[in-house]
Amino acid sequence: MAASTTNLSPLSSHLSKPITNKPPFYLFPQTLLNPLSFRLKSLFRTHKPHCTVSSKNPIVDFFPANKPDPEPSFIPSFIDDDKLREECGVVGIFGDPEASRLCYLALHALQHRGQEGAGIVAVNNNVLQSVTGVGLVSDVFNETKLSQLPGEMAIGHVRYSTAGSSMLKNVQPFVAGYRFGSVGVAHNGNLVNYRTLRAMLEDNGSIFNTSSDTEVVLHLIAISKARPFFLRIVDACEKLEGAYSMVFVTEDKLVAVRDPYGFRPLVMGRRTNGAVVFASETCALDLIEATYEREVNPGEVLVVDKKDGVQSLCLLPHPEPKQCIFEHIYFALPNSVVFGRSVYESRHVFGEILATEAPVDCDVVIAVPDSGVVAALGYAAKAGVPFQQGLIRSHYVGRTFIEPSQKIRDFGVKLKLSPVRGVLDGKRVVVVDDSIVRGTTSSKIVRLIKEAGAKEVHMRIASPPIIGSCYYGVDTPSAEELISNRMSVEEIREFIGCDSLAFLPFDSLQKMLASDSQKFCYACFSGKYPVMPKEVKVKKVGDFLDDGLNGPMDSIDGGWVRGPKNIDVEKEIDPLYQQSKI
């Protein structure tokens, strides 16, 4: 059962001086300005979701700190989950009397971007009120909770935990009070200079309540000398490195910000009553009947209030955009338009390319549901082979499940996927999936299909091999855990146990993107990073449990491997490119 909290959260930060000097900025009506025509001055980077302060920690309620971990028979179902995970989704709504309820619905549409926690902050009579909780959106919110969030302005957040367990303390939106009022923030992304900024702020007296990098942003806003408020956001963002798409709310304004590279998506729409909506994906706009207008441009700040409507501020001359290609491969829903492209059409073409460049004699094409379905449809259409549902996914498996005392092989995968013997028995089967990360789940899926009677199993992967970790808001294993970084395609095929294996060719992917090719980030495929990570660290999955309240400051790094001091990051990462064979 999800635990939640309603609160107002103070920010404990009183610094006497800003970290850097702020250049002048100019505000223009949106109708008179195309922000992309301005050249920006410095680079921004991405954040991670932060949290509202809470006095209650639901994790401790279930598993107290003085007791051991749950008994082995209580198996986390995500142990077998061999997918990359997007870290979160954000929503902002201005000018609708049902703002919090619309925010709740929009978060439902973005649930795929984070299932660990959810929260909403609404503004009523110049007071920011928040409800946050651990669990799915439907677990956290009910009629009683939503009734506590009146007002015409709200922001919301869904979170995926990347540094251990979900913790209420780290669930966003994060709310803080500072000398000129209150501010709430919801953040999608990851800061690559978080530790440097945090250390600098703490040296000046800041006190941090969470282990989330988003809290850094609030401290930077609090110490800024800029006026008015949105220039404080600009001032703070100047110091950030990485990827971020954020929505802020104050007593009278809604602000949306996207980093200069545009790593993570953020779109703007409008309802028929004039309400302005920001969301991570267009699928959220569709659910609440908001019409898509445009993307928030890289390096842009959009300010919405009653007096001036929507205004656009160009921050800094931004470089060429580096949008995350995995939004089209896996993260986004197929019915979304991301970075100006239909996700469904992209995935369908990926399947067509595989059928053209890696054909094989087969009787049936199936998908690993749900992320491989559209690419499998494209493969089947191009190959002229029927597509059928050879694997049925259970949508009712929670995060934990009690396993029988007698060990069942591939238990986690069998809970989620059931083979259809009538489709597979005696057939030569092509299985289409979106990616291979560690290869463990793929090998179990191949075994399931063969045990269901398949004569041959041919794996087709609708992305190039993943050889590098992501630093821009995606939960990625360390490089040594990535099977494509350690093995050739043939070695992976033997490990998985399939009869043939082919990945989407990298050059074909770029050719398909045509003139937009240079606007995407391919770091996970090439090891070439648009923003070099200054704090070299990569998550080691399953190594760290942080309840968000216990442990020393150093425990924040408990789930990460840090590179040696003075590491030459480019030298360390570049060999990945040589191994990619792309």
Side-chain angles (χ1 to χ4, degrees):
M1 182 176 179
S4 62
T5 181
T6 305
N7 58 67
L8 297 178
S9 301
L11 175 65
S12 303
S13 174
H14 299 287
L15 297 181
S16 58
K17 57 184 179 179
I19 294 175
T20 62
N21 294 325
K22 183 188 74 63
F25 296 91
Y26 303 92
L27 186 68
F28 298 92
Q30 181 187 356
T31 54
L32 301 180
L33 173 65
N34 176 2
L36 288 180
S37 65
F38 278 70
R39 306 299 296 173
L40 308 174
K41 256 195 325 193
S42 72
L43 306 177
F44 288 16
R45 301 25 219 224
T46 316
H47 300 41
K48 251 181 130 170
H50 278 323
C51 9
T52 46
V53 177
S54 168
S55 61
K56 184 173 178 61
N57 182 354
I59 300 299
V60 174
D61 291 344
F62 290 108
F63 308 123
N66 61 349
K67 291 187 179 181
D69 289 339
E71 59 273 14
S73 62
F74 199 47
I75 304 294
S77 66
F78 57 77
I79 285 177
D80 288 313
D81 202 348
D82 199 14
K83 297 290 185 183
L84 302 184
R85 293 297 181 193
E86 232 286 347
E87 293 186 356
C88 51
V90 300
V91 177
I93 298 175
F94 182 95
D96 196 295
E98 297 288 318
S100 63
R101 295 172 187 272
L102 292 174
C103 202
Y104 163 78
L105 293 174
L107 291 179
H108 265 294
L110 298 176
Q111 186 74 86
H112 60 286
R113 299 184 76 89
Q115 300 88 44
E116 311 265 331
I120 294 174
V121 171
V123 183
N124 185 44
N125 295 326
N126 294 328
V127 176
L128 275 63
Q129 298 172 303
S130 71
V131 172
T132 61
V134 174
L136 300 176
V137 175
S138 58
D139 295 328
V140 174
F141 294 99
N142 54 33
E143 181 63 34
T144 301
K145 293 287 173 55
L146 289 173
S147 68
Q148 299 170 15
L149 299 170
E152 296 187 352
M153 183 166 44
I155 60 174
H157 188 270
V158 287
R159 175 179 187 267
Y160 172 72
S161 171
T162 58
S165 67
S166 300
M167 62 211 76
L168 184 57
K169 193 169 186 177
N170 278 346
V171 176
Q172 293 185 47
F174 196 95
V175 182
Y178 71 115
R179 55 182 171 170
F180 293 114
S182 298
V183 58
V185 60
H187 169 216
N188 176 206
N190 202 50
L191 300 179
V192 301
N193 64 337
Y194 158 64
R195 287 191 58 81
T196 301
L197 289 174
R198 176 163 175 156
M200 192 177 301
L201 287 161
E202 289 181 323
D203 286 345
N204 283 278
S206 290
I207 298 173
F208 283 77
N209 293 311
T210 75
S211 59
S212 171
D213 60 350
T214 307
E215 191 176 1
V216 164
V217 183
L218 293 176
H219 283 273
L220 292 174
I221 289 171
I223 66 172
S224 173
K225 305 295 184 183
R227 302 288 295 271
F229 171 77
F230 67 83
L231 287 180
R232 290 176 177 270
I233 294 177
V234 172
D235 199 15
C237 287
E238 284 188 287
K239 303 169 181 70
L240 306 178
E241 297 181 4
Y244 53 85
S245 289
M246 297 184 287
V247 287
F248 296 85
V249 69
T250 66
E251 290 90 344
D252 63 347
K253 288 180 173 60
L254 177 66
V255 182
V257 186
R258 195 167 170 216
D259 70 83
Y261 282 98
F263 286 108
R264 307 255 67 86
L266 190 63
V267 297
M268 184 179 80
R270 204 179 298 262
R271 284 173 49 82
T272 54
N273 62 358
V276 177
V277 182
F278 296 102
S280 292
E281 289 183 37
T282 59
C283 61
L285 303 182
D286 295 339
L287 180 59
I288 63 174
E289 297 181 337
T291 302
Y292 168 76
E293 288 195 357
R294 67 177 182 91
E295 289 187 288
V296 176
N297 291 306
E300 182 181 19
V301 174
L302 285 170
V303 183
V304 190
D305 60 22
K306 288 185 177 179
K307 179 182 176 182
D308 299 310
V310 180
Q311 296 177 300
S312 174
L313 176 74
C314 271
L315 300 181
L316 309 162
H318 55 76
E320 191 170 44
K322 293 298 178 183
Q323 304 156 154
C324 177
I325 187 60
F326 246 90
E327 293 286 349
H328 278 267
I329 291 171
Y330 175 70
F331 298 141
L333 286 186
N335 58 314
S336 286
V337 175
V338 177
F339 308 136
R341 287 176 168 267
S342 164
V343 175
Y344 187 98
E345 292 178 7
S346 293
R347 293 178 187 171
H348 200 274
V349 172
F350 296 160
E352 293 175 357
I353 293 172
L354 284 169
T356 301
E357 303 203 16
V360 64
D361 291 335
C362 62
D363 303 307
V364 65
V365 176
I366 69 170
V368 177
D370 293 318
S371 55
V373 170
V374 180
L377 288 169
Y379 188 103
K382 192 69 174 179
V385 176
F387 168 82
Q388 295 196 47
Q389 284 188 283
L391 293 170
I392 305 300
R393 180 183 177 184
S394 170
H395 293 271
Y396 307 103
V397 179
R399 286 189 54 80
T400 57
F401 203 91
I402 299 172
E403 185 172 1
S405 56
Q406 184 174 348
K407 188 71 175 178
I408 296 178
R409 188 173 66 172
D410 305 335
F411 181 71
V413 169
K414 286 179 178 178
L415 278 176
K416 296 179 180 180
L417 299 174
S418 302
V420 181
R421 182 172 292 272
V423 171
L424 304 172
D425 194 14
K427 303 290 181 60
R428 298 169 299 174
V429 181
V430 165
V431 186
V432 180
D433 202 357
D434 61 276
S435 59
I436 295 180
V437 181
R438 298 179 190 84
T440 52
T441 297
S442 297
S443 65
K444 294 172 183 178
I445 289 172
V446 169
R447 190 155 57 235
L448 281 181
I449 294 171
K450 288 194 171 182
E451 288 174 353
K455 186 163 58 175
E456 297 175 9
V457 178
H458 304 274
M459 290 287 292
R460 293 296 179 266
I461 309 302
S463 70
I466 301 170
I467 64 165
S469 296
C470 180
Y471 296 84
Y472 311 130
V474 178
D475 178 25
T476 316
S478 55
E480 60 267 25
E481 293 180 85
L482 298 170
I483 192 169
S484 292
N485 187 45
R486 296 182 289 107
M487 299 182 184
S488 67
V489 173
E490 176 58 23
E491 289 171 334
I492 297 171
R493 184 200 66 76
E494 291 180 3
F495 176 84
I496 291 174
C498 56
D499 294 279
S500 74
L501 170 66
F503 291 85
L504 181 71
F506 183 61
D507 56 353
S508 297
L509 170 62
Q510 291 187 305
K511 184 178 179 181
M512 170 259 179
L513 295 170
S515 60
D516 289 337
S517 174
Q518 297 305 310
K519 297 179 181 178
F520 284 88
C521 174
Y522 309 105
C524 54
F525 305 140
S526 67
K528 300 292 185 179
Y529 291 87
V531 180
M532 295 305 297
K534 296 180 179 179
E535 301 163 4
V536 180
K537 60 181 185 179
V538 184
K539 183 182 174 190
K540 290 185 73 176
V541 177
D543 283 357
F544 183 49
L545 181 65
D546 172 22
D547 66 6
L549 293 175
N550 301 317
M553 164 66 183
D554 289 345
S555 69
I556 292 172
D557 286 333
W560 304 81
V561 176
R562 289 194 292 171
K565 292 182 179 179
N566 303 320
I567 185 173
D568 186 333
V569 179
E570 194 157 4
K571 269 188 189 176
E572 291 295 320
I573 294 174
D574 189 64
L576 296 176
Y577 182 75
Q578 303 302 325
Q579 298 176 36
S580 67
K581 302 180 180 179
I582 292 176

